[in-house]
Amino acid sequence: MRIVIAEDLLLLREGMVRLLTDTGHTVVAAVDSADALIAAVTEHRPDLSIVDVRLPPGFRDEGLRAALHLRAADPSTRVLIVSQYVERAYAAELLADGGGSVGYLLKDRVTALDDFLDAVERVAAGGTVMDPEVVRQLFTRNSRNHGIGGLTPREREVLGLMAQGLSNSAICAALVLAPVSVEKHITNIFAKLDLPPADDAHRRVRAVLTYLNA
């Protein structure tokens, strides 16, 4: 696939370029600022953009803001955000449009090559990927919320895997459960979070958002 990278750390940026190139992808642009990211995506229309949250000049949330700007202009824009820290508000805002094709990884995950490449493929294919550590910390912080608090331990496990972007079949494999059991848990999650019948893919994203915004 054709990829744009926006990362201000030279070594990490060049490392991602080398890894992605060696695995058959084409990096059409590797930039170090939010303005350059917007220009590169506008010019190249890549299959995926990998974006650091904090970019020059302010090193606050310029990368995220640029990614949200690009998705507002073209909702089909696929973005994988990378961050040094778990930043709850950023994760929630990234998912807020419910359109999928987004991911949020901690930078430590980039060095776990299989995990990183898997996230790249899943987001480019239209999926949603959340770093397991992000999910773990957010569950801990929001465990007292009424809706989330009403979930059983198994339902929390299922929702955590949903938040990471896993399909029903992948959840079955991860938890060693039958498909009918996973479907039942997901139905219970939707009911307890007061998510009425709708497109299931949309409800999955809304379930994660309910949790993040708790």
Side-chain angles (χ1 to χ4, degrees):
M1 69 187 75
R2 300 168 65 255
I3 298 173
V4 166
I5 296 172
E7 167 59 58
D8 66 292
L9 294 176
L10 177 61
L11 288 178
L12 181 55
R13 185 171 68 245
E14 292 303 314
M16 286 193 287
V17 170
R18 176 65 180 272
L19 172 63
L20 293 167
T21 300
D22 286 350
T23 51
H25 304 298
T26 300
V27 178
V28 295
V31 301
D32 63 358
S33 71
D35 289 343
L37 166 65
I38 292 173
V41 172
T42 301
E43 176 183 355
H44 296 288
R45 298 296 177 187
D47 301 304
L48 176 70
S49 297
I50 300 172
V51 182
D52 187 4
V53 167
R54 300 180 181 185
L55 290 173
F59 294 98
R60 292 186 297 272
D61 59 0
E62 289 84 353
L64 175 74
R65 295 298 166 197
L68 293 172
H69 169 81
L70 289 167
R71 281 177 64 84
D74 181 2
S76 67
T77 301
R78 291 164 163 78
V79 178
L80 176 59
I81 293 288
V82 293
S83 177
Q84 189 70 41
Y85 309 102
V86 177
E87 300 181 85
R88 174 178 175 271
Y90 294 158
E93 190 162 5
L94 186 66
L95 291 166
D97 63 11
S101 301
V102 295
Y104 185 109
L105 288 184
L106 294 181
K107 287 187 176 180
D108 287 348
R109 195 72 53 187
V110 175
T111 62
L113 302 186
D114 289 343
D115 291 344
F116 175 64
L117 292 173
D118 178 64
V120 166
E121 296 286 350
R122 285 160 59 189
V123 173
T128 300
V129 175
M130 292 286 285
D131 191 290
E133 179 62 18
V134 175
V135 174
R136 186 190 69 78
Q137 290 198 29
L138 292 175
F139 264 124
T140 300
R141 292 175 187 174
N142 294 317
S143 61
R144 294 185 180 179
N145 171 262
H146 176 70
I148 298 298
L151 301 180
T152 66
R154 180 62 86 182
E155 288 164 356
R156 291 190 185 191
E157 285 184 296
V158 171
L159 181 54
L161 294 174
M162 287 169 58
Q164 293 177 39
L166 271 64
S167 65
N168 283 17
S169 59
I171 294 172
C172 289
L175 299 179
V176 194
L177 292 174
V180 65
S181 296
V182 170
E183 291 169 5
K184 181 178 179 180
H185 288 312
I186 291 175
T187 298
N188 289 341
I189 290 168
F190 291 157
K192 291 179 180 180
L193 298 184
D194 194 24
L195 298 175
D199 174 71
D200 276 352
H202 184 57
R203 282 208 290 177
R204 291 171 83 96
V205 175
R206 289 178 62 199
V208 176
L209 279 175
T210 299
Y211 159 63
L212 291 175
N213 289 319

